[in-house]
Amino acid sequence: MEKKIKKVDLIFGKVDYLDILDKSFQRTRDEIILDVIDSGLRGRGGAGFPTGLKWKFAKNEEADQKYVICNADEGEPGTFKDREILTEAPEKVLAGMALCGYCIGATEGYIYLRMEYNFLLPQLNQQIDAFNKQMKERNFEFTIYIRSGSGAYVCGEETALMESMEGRRGEPRNKPPFPTSQGYLGKPTSVNNVETLVFALMIAKEGPTKFKEMGTFDSRGSKVFSVSGDTPTPGIYELELGMTLEQFVEEFGDGDTKAVQVGGASGFCVARKDFKDTLIGFEGIPTGGSMMIFNSSRSMYNILHDYLEFMEEESCGQCTPCRVGCQQLLKGIEAVKKGIKQPPYLEDLQKLSDTMRIASKCGLGQSVPNPFNSIINNFREEIIY
Amino acid sequence: MSKYKVNLKINNISVSVDEGTSILDAARTLNFTIPTLCHHEDLCVAGNCRVCVVEQKGNRLLPAACATPVSEGMEIMTNSLKVRQARKHVVELLLSEHNADCTKCFKNGSCELQDMSNDYRIGDHVFLDLVKDREKIKDISSPSIEKDDSKCIRCQRCVRTCTDLQAVSALAVTHKGNHMKVSTFLDKPMNDVVCTNCGQCINRCPTAALTERNYIDEVFDAIYDPKKFVVVQTAPATRVAIGEEFGMEPGSRVTGKMVAALRRLGVDKVLDTDFTADLTIMEEGTELLTRLKEALVEGKEVALPMLTSCSPGWIKFQEHLYPEFLDNLSTCKSPQQMFGPLAKTYYAEKVNKNPAEMIVVSIMPCTAKKFEAERPEMRGSGYKDVDYVLTTRELGMMIHQAGIDFEKLEDERYDSILGESTGAAVIFGATGGVMEAALRTAYEIVTGREVPFTNLNIKPVRGMEGVKEASVKIKDVKPEWSFLEGVELNVAIAHGLANAKIVMDKIKDGSANYHFIEVMACPSGCIGGGGQPIPTSMEIRKRRAAGIYEEDEALVIRKSHENPEVQEIYQSFLHEPLGHRSHDLLHTHYAPRKRH
């Protein structure tokens, strides 16, 4: 059953966002949340938590103050779609935040912008000022502010992000409590990815059905992909979910694709032999958008080495499995390459990575085994020789 | 408030515990010990070492037992194969970045990481050696605290201690990833930062990354130098704690054994800081009454409330953080530093020794006292007043090294003079003790009567509450103190520098109306000092405090002004509190220090 990949235009198309908000404010919070739940929308940052449920949890909390945070700390290597969304459709992001604020009962929203995107600040600030004014004119109490990161990858993790916003070191917190009950400044907080907020707005506009009709059972709708690497057509594409890697590579590959890294440095490496059977989505391999295509000229050792160097440096360093584990994996493959350790040492390291997956404090350490194991399993000989 | 009960299973055994209990504590109720490293009951939960991970049915992750509250129906395994593998990996990883020179290490035998490595029989290192700073010379810039980054396992207990318990934040986490470490502001040496030398970080460091600067060899050198006359003073809080170094229960009163052990070590005279604690009460009590008189009668601008000055960690804290309140500090030196100059003047003359050949050694529950002894002001005798300061732990180590069976020692008494003391001096060791001792004396001086509390026990100033407040109404005073008639004396007591900060901020914003405040830098006072036996916990400190109050009640004389040696020294040497000689020998001044 060959199916052509469907390109979609929910994210970047212009809409009358004020009209969507005005109509939404006529509906009850529960109705909108139910629609978002019904649509099957899951977080587009990579972790894929059902967005409607998150909003429902935050809504159900009793608190004198709640917050909406738009996670724009887009730090995953190979992901650059949020930058594009914030450049091309910022008003939709702001409206998505206001919609979330309406649903959960928050009067303040924050955009946490990664430091490297500070060049967006002048225009974003203008748009935020205008938007805040528009909300005021509607007597809807919701003000958006912007907070700038300091360049740490781990601050994309929502609790580290909030620590950073509160002026502390960006270190992930213990969970529970989850942000929807105790988040920013200890108050119920919904942290959503840039893209997620826009999809939520579009679901409010068009109802859940249109979104739900796209994609697969676990991966509804469409998704913005950042395509890079050995491809003649790098760039940003909004595609319907549910495609296989084979379809993807057919569309974007250069004819010599050896492997695709799905989900960035914390994602999985899929080798050519598995393209056909690998679905991009929560049933198969999920991604926050990063799709890196490698052709046969690439050394998988160098690729893994790069990822591990990245993780070794970007671990916040607080928990043992991640801080020391990343160093051991990196130094470990170097030792095997140089012959200081025998090849079976790779199995010791894989066991270690299993521990990192289940014993690390946050998603960073827990996902280092993804590239490690998938590259070692698929390209063991390239690591050793 | 009754709490909800939560039912769960741990290792297939059902248990019901209060809502909010951690898995770690729930397991303890079933007598399952889950190993921990970053966890410390005095500190907030960190959940970062991951040694305490457990398996939870239905959870693909292993939650940290210390940081995860129980939930209804939870099924926990504390020693499953998955848990064992993960825990072993975590210990191996910690060892791979730890400079494990155990046999040469100061903490050999008392290191939590070593214990864990022992429990899991970690043999050959599976993983690569990652120790970065093995060759780097450790930071020995501070006379109190040594910091060895190559031993650090990044559990952040010290950081939480310094920030949460002590509100100092001299230590902080810097950098990230493989470069993450515990450091100071701009990585400056420890003697050049806001560190108060309180040593609370040492008490909680699981390894030897933070230890006291030890002077054991210097003291033995002095003992075996025939030309030197070694005089030892022992602080109040040491006598209820040093037993722990020999496996005795916390709070065991071993004053007599400690004296005997010191004699067997070969020191020339065993004297008591308690004597100068009594003297402190005379000086500081008089200073308080003088300030009150100047304020109430002469209408002078006097710095009130007066703040105690016995705790050198607290003094440095003030100098760094509240320099505008230095005039409020009592000018009295700490008992240790009153002892030094008296030993090298008054005492030297009495025993006919040359002070130049006298070595004064203090046994202190404290690491800040090491710094204090080095302060340039502390040379009132013309010599360095106190030559070496040893912690309770160092004395314990010396006794071990000398092969003395501490527990079996017969009690011996302090030498005279400078060896006599009262119950009022002993209670200096616990939070509220200086206040209680001061009130016992001041109230009696002013009214001619004993304090109106049963058996002299001023209960409102005792206990472990962080900030204690009390008021004493002064009535029917002697004629010469008529200006105090009807005055309500408001006092406060704070222990732990975070609590001191609360009190200071109240004074700063004008919301407090105190006359006299006792502050001890360490939680629970000197019994919880940075030089006391490790481990420490609220329970341990409470038992040491109980020992202190038992010691007080067991003494015949319990008021400082009734100490016959104190009376004698005023008669023959000092003449009067705050007199000329006192000023020269027993009082000092303070200087502001920068925050950075």
Side-chain angles (χ1 to χ4, degrees):
Chain A
M1 282 266 290
E2 278 301 309
K3 185 175 123 187
K4 196 108 174 85
I5 300 174
K6 190 173 141 204
K7 294 196 174 154
V8 187
D9 195 15
L10 285 175
I11 293 288
F12 294 103
K14 292 288 166 208
V15 294
D16 185 349
Y17 63 96
L18 288 172
D19 181 60
I20 304 174
L21 285 181
D22 286 338
K23 284 181 180 145
S24 297
F25 294 160
Q26 303 302 314
R27 303 172 68 204
T28 68
R29 301 150 66 184
D30 288 323
E31 279 173 344
I32 303 170
I33 291 177
L34 267 179
D35 273 0
V36 179
I37 293 175
D38 186 33
S39 73
L41 174 63
R42 296 173 65 164
R44 291 300 193 240
F49 191 84
T51 306
L53 275 184
K54 190 182 270 186
W55 289 16
K56 189 177 158 189
F57 292 152
K59 186 217 124 195
N60 288 345
E61 291 286 332
E62 299 267 345
D64 55 355
Q65 181 63 271
K66 297 181 187 179
Y67 298 102
V68 177
I69 294 176
C70 168
N71 186 347
D73 191 52
E74 184 176 43
E76 191 62 55
T79 317
F80 38 88
K81 46 116 187 156
D82 291 341
R83 181 185 65 192
E84 191 68 8
I85 298 171
L86 284 169
T87 309
E88 296 299 323
E91 70 288 347
K92 288 170 87 174
V93 179
L94 304 182
M97 291 174 72
L99 181 73
C100 175
Y102 174 70
C103 288
I104 71 169
T107 57
E108 285 181 24
Y110 290 85
I111 298 177
Y112 187 87
L113 189 71
R114 82 179 287 213
M115 187 187 73
E116 291 82 348
Y117 292 174
N118 276 352
F119 66 89
L120 290 173
L121 276 174
Q123 66 183 80
L124 270 180
N125 276 325
Q126 261 182 18
Q127 278 144 347
I128 289 170
D129 288 346
F131 184 82
N132 285 343
K133 210 169 138 212
Q134 287 165 338
M135 292 302 106
K136 211 167 184 181
E137 285 162 6
R138 280 167 170 70
N139 280 327
F140 176 62
E141 198 193 342
F142 191 76
T143 315
I144 295 178
Y145 305 89
I146 199 154
R147 290 284 180 271
S148 193
S150 296
Y153 168 72
V154 74
C155 287
E157 198 279 345
E158 55 185 5
T159 59
L161 182 154
M162 292 183 294
E163 287 287 302
S164 164
M165 276 180 62
E166 291 175 19
R168 285 190 294 274
R169 240 180 102 75
E171 288 186 345
R173 299 174 181 169
N174 289 302
K175 288 181 262 187
F178 292 94
T180 47
S181 59
Q182 288 175 43
Y184 179 52
L185 300 175
K187 303 294 183 186
T189 304
S190 177
V191 184
N192 297 103
N193 174 259
V194 174
E195 183 186 343
T196 314
L197 289 164
V198 179
F199 275 126
L201 182 79
M202 295 310 288
I203 289 162
K205 174 175 181 275
E206 302 185 355
T209 316
K210 190 175 167 189
F211 188 83
K212 204 163 67 173
E213 278 168 354
M214 291 189 292
T216 61
F217 183 78
D218 268 345
S219 314
R220 301 288 185 192
S222 54
K223 165 98 195 76
V224 184
F225 290 87
S226 313
V227 182
S228 65
D230 298 317
T231 165
T233 50
I236 289 161
Y237 302 89
E238 184 179 343
L239 307 172
E240 182 182 353
L241 283 170
M243 64 193 147
T244 63
L245 258 182
E246 188 173 47
Q247 291 169 305
F248 177 83
V249 169
E250 209 159 279
E251 176 85 24
F252 295 102
D254 64 356
D256 181 29
T257 303
K258 160 161 105 172
V260 180
Q261 180 74 15
V262 184
S266 64
F268 293 85
C269 174
V270 184
R272 185 187 293 144
K273 65 177 169 49
D274 297 321
F275 286 171
K276 204 182 171 87
D277 302 323
T278 305
L279 196 94
I280 300 169
F282 296 103
E283 297 93 332
I285 298 185
T287 168
S290 172
M291 302 294 283
M292 285 187 263
I293 302 174
F294 300 116
N295 68 18
S296 58
S297 72
R298 305 291 165 182
S299 150
M300 297 314 288
Y301 172 84
N302 287 347
I303 288 165
L304 177 59
H305 194 271
D306 277 0
Y307 290 158
L308 290 174
E309 254 184 346
F310 176 80
M311 292 300 188
E312 183 209 35
E313 189 177 321
E314 291 300 339
S315 162
C316 77
Q318 67 164 322
C319 88
T320 314
C322 181
R323 177 186 69 247
V324 197
C326 288
Q327 295 176 65
Q328 288 293 356
L329 297 186
L330 175 65
K331 303 278 188 308
I333 61 163
E334 286 174 355
V336 171
K337 193 75 169 175
K338 287 179 191 150
I340 296 166
K341 286 275 187 186
Q342 298 298 308
Y345 186 58
L346 291 176
E347 275 82 72
D348 288 333
L349 294 178
Q350 285 191 288
K351 269 191 205 159
L352 172 62
S353 82
D354 290 339
T355 290
M356 292 171 70
R357 184 194 304 285
I358 56 177
S360 293
K361 187 167 178 172
C362 83
L364 197 161
Q366 288 161 16
S367 59
V368 175
N370 298 344
F372 187 79
N373 283 333
S374 57
I375 293 179
I376 299 252
N377 288 340
N378 284 315
F379 300 100
R380 199 170 185 275
E381 69 290 350
E382 283 195 46
I383 305 302
I384 299 169
Y385 304 108
Chain B
M1 206 177 74
S2 72
K3 284 187 168 173
Y4 290 108
K5 288 283 179 188
V6 173
N7 302 297
L8 71 156
K9 273 185 181 173
I10 298 177
N11 299 337
N12 293 319
I13 303 172
S14 296
V15 63
S16 179
V17 295
D18 286 341
E19 188 187 20
T21 307
S22 67
I23 295 172
L24 179 71
D25 289 334
R28 278 181 186 160
T29 67
L30 294 174
N31 300 319
F32 287 116
T33 302
I34 299 170
T36 54
L37 274 175
C38 69
H39 180 77
H40 194 286
E41 65 168 83
D42 287 336
L43 306 173
C44 68
V45 166
N48 60 26
C49 77
R50 314 309 282 183
V51 163
C52 72
V53 289
V54 292
E55 188 169 348
Q56 177 189 6
K57 196 176 169 189
N59 188 347
R60 76 179 174 84
L61 304 172
L62 304 182
C66 71
T68 311
V70 294
S71 58
E72 187 64 35
M74 210 177 217
E75 292 184 38
I76 297 293
M77 299 299 284
T78 67
N79 191 41
S80 68
L81 286 178
K82 253 187 180 173
V83 170
R84 286 177 56 80
Q85 174 67 83
R87 206 171 273 162
K88 213 171 159 191
H89 268 146
V90 169
V91 176
E92 283 175 11
L93 289 176
L94 287 172
L95 286 171
S96 77
E97 61 168 7
H98 175 78
N99 181 11
D101 61 349
C102 298
T103 51
K104 291 180 279 177
C105 180
F106 190 66
K107 289 285 281 289
N108 190 9
S110 58
C111 166
E112 293 177 46
L113 182 63
Q114 191 183 38
D115 290 347
M116 207 161 287
S117 155
N118 201 23
D119 285 348
Y120 280 83
R121 294 289 148 182
I122 307 288
D124 280 346
H125 280 207
V126 176
F127 299 119
L128 299 166
D129 185 357
L130 298 174
V131 183
K132 279 193 277 283
D133 300 325
R134 204 190 298 277
E135 301 307 320
K136 199 182 112 183
I137 300 164
K138 62 182 171 182
D139 181 356
I140 53 167
S141 62
S142 156
S144 297
I145 299 174
E146 296 188 350
K147 180 167 173 285
D148 184 351
D149 289 349
S150 74
K151 303 276 172 71
C152 177
I153 58 167
R154 282 102 169 144
C155 67
Q156 301 189 34
R157 276 192 197 169
C158 55
V159 175
R160 283 173 284 152
T161 302
C162 201
T163 308
D164 300 344
L165 280 187
Q166 298 298 68
V168 172
S169 299
L171 295 175
V173 178
T174 63
H175 306 282
K176 60 185 164 57
N178 51 335
H179 298 296
M180 180 268 205
K181 66 173 188 169
V182 173
S183 189
T184 53
F185 182 69
L186 294 179
D187 213 11
K188 287 183 183 183
M190 288 287 277
N191 70 339
D192 198 20
V193 294
V194 70
C195 172
T196 65
N197 303 302
C198 74
Q200 289 300 315
C201 54
I202 299 175
N203 282 3
R204 291 172 184 79
C205 179
T207 67
L210 289 157
T211 52
E212 65 264 50
R213 175 86 169 270
N214 91 75
Y215 297 88
I216 293 175
D217 288 340
E218 287 85 341
V219 171
F220 271 123
D221 283 348
I223 287 173
Y224 286 103
D225 184 339
K227 286 207 265 332
K228 302 281 195 234
F229 185 72
V230 178
V231 171
V232 170
Q233 55 163 326
T234 64
T238 55
R239 65 204 67 199
V240 293
I242 193 169
E244 292 164 45
E245 293 290 325
F246 306 95
M248 298 169 76
E249 288 296 314
S252 302
R253 291 160 50 206
V254 290
T255 319
K257 291 184 196 298
M258 180 169 70
V259 173
L262 282 163
R263 286 218 177 87
R264 276 156 184 70
L265 286 174
V267 307
D268 295 291
K269 293 288 172 191
V270 186
L271 306 175
D272 203 353
T273 316
D274 285 20
F275 167 78
T276 37
D278 279 330
L279 204 60
T280 301
I281 290 301
M282 299 306 294
E283 293 289 328
E284 201 166 281
T286 310
E287 187 184 359
L288 175 65
L289 292 173
T290 306
R291 287 197 195 197
L292 289 173
K293 189 173 180 185
E294 285 174 349
L296 295 172
V297 180
E298 298 159 23
K300 280 192 195 167
E301 280 279 319
V302 181
L304 282 172
M306 191 173 93
L307 309 166
T308 60
S309 57
C310 307
S311 168
W314 154 241
I315 296 294
K316 192 156 181 271
F317 181 81
Q318 280 292 90
E319 290 177 328
H320 281 296
L321 294 157
Y322 296 94
E324 67 273 37
F325 288 99
L326 291 184
D327 287 342
N328 293 62
L329 284 170
S330 161
T331 59
C332 288
K333 290 179 183 171
S334 72
Q336 158 175 286
Q337 293 302 146
M338 286 195 183
F339 184 97
L342 287 180
K344 290 190 178 180
T345 56
Y346 174 70
Y347 183 78
E349 207 179 299
K350 289 263 183 190
V351 297
N352 200 21
K353 290 286 171 192
N354 178 1
E357 287 168 1
M358 189 183 264
I359 295 290
V360 173
V361 177
S362 315
I363 312 300
M364 292 286 143
C366 185
T367 48
K369 297 271 182 200
K370 291 174 186 273
F371 169 83
E372 186 188 31
E374 300 294 327
R375 290 177 76 118
E377 310 90 86
M378 300 299 171
R379 303 178 76 93
S381 62
Y383 305 93
K384 193 182 171 199
D385 292 333
V386 174
D387 295 277
Y388 301 112
V389 180
L390 302 175
T391 60
T392 313
R393 296 188 291 265
E394 287 169 86
L395 177 60
M397 211 172 277
M398 289 174 74
I399 295 169
H400 275 299
Q401 288 172 5
I404 296 165
D405 191 345
F406 185 83
E407 227 177 323
K408 296 215 177 85
L409 288 172
E410 294 285 339
D411 285 359
E412 291 183 15
R413 291 182 60 85
Y414 284 99
D415 288 301
S416 181
I417 51 178
L418 309 198
E420 185 68 59
S421 68
T422 71
V426 165
I427 57 175
F428 266 58
T431 168
V434 174
M435 183 59 69
E436 181 165 351
L439 289 176
R440 284 183 194 172
T441 288
Y443 191 89
E444 199 162 320
I445 288 175
V446 171
T447 66
R449 303 183 309 274
E450 289 193 337
V451 281
F453 290 91
T454 316
N455 201 16
L456 295 176
N457 295 333
I458 310 179
K459 292 272 168 73
V461 302
R462 297 185 181 181
M464 296 302 169
E465 207 181 318
V467 177
K468 291 167 278 189
E469 294 175 330
S471 296
V472 185
K473 184 102 172 170
I474 305 174
K475 280 187 303 200
D476 304 326
V477 297
K478 287 181 174 174
E480 63 267 38
W481 300 102
S482 60
F483 66 95
L484 287 174
E485 181 62 42
V487 166
E488 182 123 337
L489 188 70
N490 297 323
V491 303
I493 297 120
H495 57 108
L497 290 172
N499 292 319
K501 185 172 188 294
I502 292 172
V503 171
M504 287 313 298
D505 288 341
K506 272 186 171 177
I507 296 172
K508 209 169 176 173
D509 69 20
S511 64
N513 182 28
Y514 305 119
H515 298 105
F516 187 38
I517 300 171
E518 176 206 299
V519 181
M520 293 295 160
C522 294
S524 314
C526 305
I527 46 167
Q532 291 283 62
I534 298 170
T536 185
S537 69
M538 185 53 95
E539 176 59 25
I540 289 172
R541 296 193 294 273
K542 278 184 178 165
R543 289 169 71 181
R544 289 177 191 159
I548 285 279
Y549 289 114
E550 282 167 25
E551 189 87 353
D552 169 31
E553 297 228 26
L555 286 164
V556 183
I557 309 175
R558 296 179 57 209
K559 292 176 280 189
S560 297
H561 56 282
E562 291 178 359
N563 181 334
E565 287 191 356
V566 167
Q567 291 169 346
E568 162 62 24
I569 200 173
Y570 276 115
Q571 212 154 48
S572 67
F573 185 73
L574 295 169
H575 305 305
E576 57 172 346
L578 304 187
H580 183 64
R581 269 216 167 118
S582 292
H583 181 81
D584 284 350
L585 298 178
L586 309 182
H587 290 260
T588 185
H589 55 273
Y590 313 102
R593 291 171 196 271
K594 289 201 174 104
R595 183 76 175 84
H596 301 298

